[in-house]
Amino acid sequence: MTRLLVVEDDPDLSLALRVLLTRSGYEVSLAPDGREALRLLFAERPALMVLDLVLPGLDGWEVLDRTRDMSDLPVLVLSGLGELADRVRGLRSGADDYLVKPFAQAELLARIEALLRRSGPGGPAGWAGEAVEEDLRLVPERRSALWLGHEIRLSDLEYRLLQLLVRNRGRVVTTEQLLDQVWDDASAVGRERVKFGVLRLRRKLRHAAGPQARDPIESVRGLGYRYERG
């Protein structure tokens, strides 16, 4: 039976969704907040997530961001945020569909069915945590990396920085791209942030594996940085 994860902090709506989806033939797990959503995501690997955006603690935007760090899991945002800017932001942030509350039950079910058809009968493949290359593995659930067999604990910013570089391995990622996608600040004022962020990341890699280990992050003068394959 296909398992869905419903992330919703309103207990009445959460229960109603569970009843609706269970009657429609799905197994349903419920998460009342963002942290529980991520825990269940790692533990159960559902076929699809229905995600509210306004959540206590860790909000839905952060849940969506972290989900995209590790999977191409179909995500249907179900939110009371109905402005065009919110819908556009949700889709650009990685949501596969966006439905505004209040909603028609038949429409919700139809959208879920459509997303599951697109992802295939076995649900999405390609969860992260697999080897990026022989020397490096990203571990999104721990916000860490295994570098030459040594685990390195990273801050959220350091993790996003390393992830963006390795996703573009072999290609230069400009300082402006790093500011825009890691720091959410494309202004020239923040260019020094990238320099010191890369410096801290390099220190952690060197400290974990020793000074004789190769430095995989190459500085490209006047442009940015490149992650080099081993």
Side-chain angles (χ1 to χ4, degrees):
M1 190 179 291
T2 302
R3 178 173 292 279
L4 309 182
L5 173 60
V6 174
V7 188
E8 172 59 60
D9 66 325
D10 182 327
D12 293 332
L13 179 55
S14 182
L15 178 59
L17 288 169
R18 171 177 250 169
V19 171
L20 172 65
L21 296 171
T22 300
R23 286 178 178 172
S24 300
Y26 300 108
E27 285 187 272
V28 180
S29 297
L30 299 178
D33 57 57
R35 296 196 182 282
E36 179 66 5
L38 292 176
R39 188 190 72 79
L40 290 174
L41 201 62
F42 301 137
E44 299 185 352
R45 302 289 173 96
L48 179 144
M49 177 165 60
V50 179
L51 176 66
D52 189 15
L53 292 174
V54 181
L55 297 169
L58 200 69
D59 67 21
W61 300 110
E62 183 68 16
V63 172
L64 180 58
D65 181 53
R66 294 196 186 187
T67 299
R68 284 293 166 258
D69 283 349
M70 61 185 164
S71 176
D72 55 1
L73 171 82
V75 177
L76 169 60
V77 168
L78 185 62
S79 175
L81 301 177
E83 296 295 325
L84 176 61
D86 297 313
R87 301 198 304 273
V88 169
R89 179 185 175 190
L91 295 170
R92 284 181 171 169
S93 296
D96 298 277
D97 202 351
Y98 196 114
L99 185 59
V100 178
K101 302 173 186 175
F103 57 92
Q105 294 183 0
E107 183 178 7
L108 173 65
L109 292 173
R111 290 181 183 233
I112 288 174
E113 290 165 9
L115 289 176
L116 289 173
R117 278 198 305 272
R118 275 182 243 158
S119 66
W127 286 77
E130 299 153 359
V132 173
E133 59 170 4
E134 185 177 350
D135 293 339
L136 178 69
R137 176 182 175 187
L138 297 177
V139 188
E141 60 267 34
R142 292 174 60 84
R143 247 11 188 202
S144 67
L146 291 175
W147 169 242
L148 297 174
H150 303 275
E151 184 172 21
I152 309 168
R153 300 305 297 268
L154 303 170
S155 67
D156 281 356
L157 189 145
E158 289 164 346
Y159 183 90
R160 293 197 304 271
L161 175 58
L162 180 59
Q163 182 186 56
L164 183 60
L165 289 170
V166 299
R167 279 180 176 174
N168 292 277
R169 53 192 179 275
R171 300 193 299 269
V172 175
V173 183
T174 68
T175 300
E176 289 74 19
Q177 287 172 321
L178 290 169
L179 278 168
D180 184 45
Q181 297 181 51
V182 178
W183 278 267
D184 295 322
D185 177 9
S187 67
V189 176
R191 293 176 65 88
E192 287 297 304
R193 299 183 195 176
V194 174
K195 177 180 176 180
F196 289 110
V198 171
L199 180 62
R200 287 192 298 270
L201 182 56
R202 279 174 160 161
R203 283 175 177 168
K204 286 193 174 183
L205 294 171
R206 186 168 59 248
H207 179 74
Q212 302 307 314
R214 70 180 181 91
D215 181 357
I217 301 174
E218 178 187 357
S219 300
V220 181
R221 187 177 180 86
L223 291 176
Y225 299 88
R226 175 169 50 213
Y227 182 92
E228 287 290 352
R229 296 174 174 87

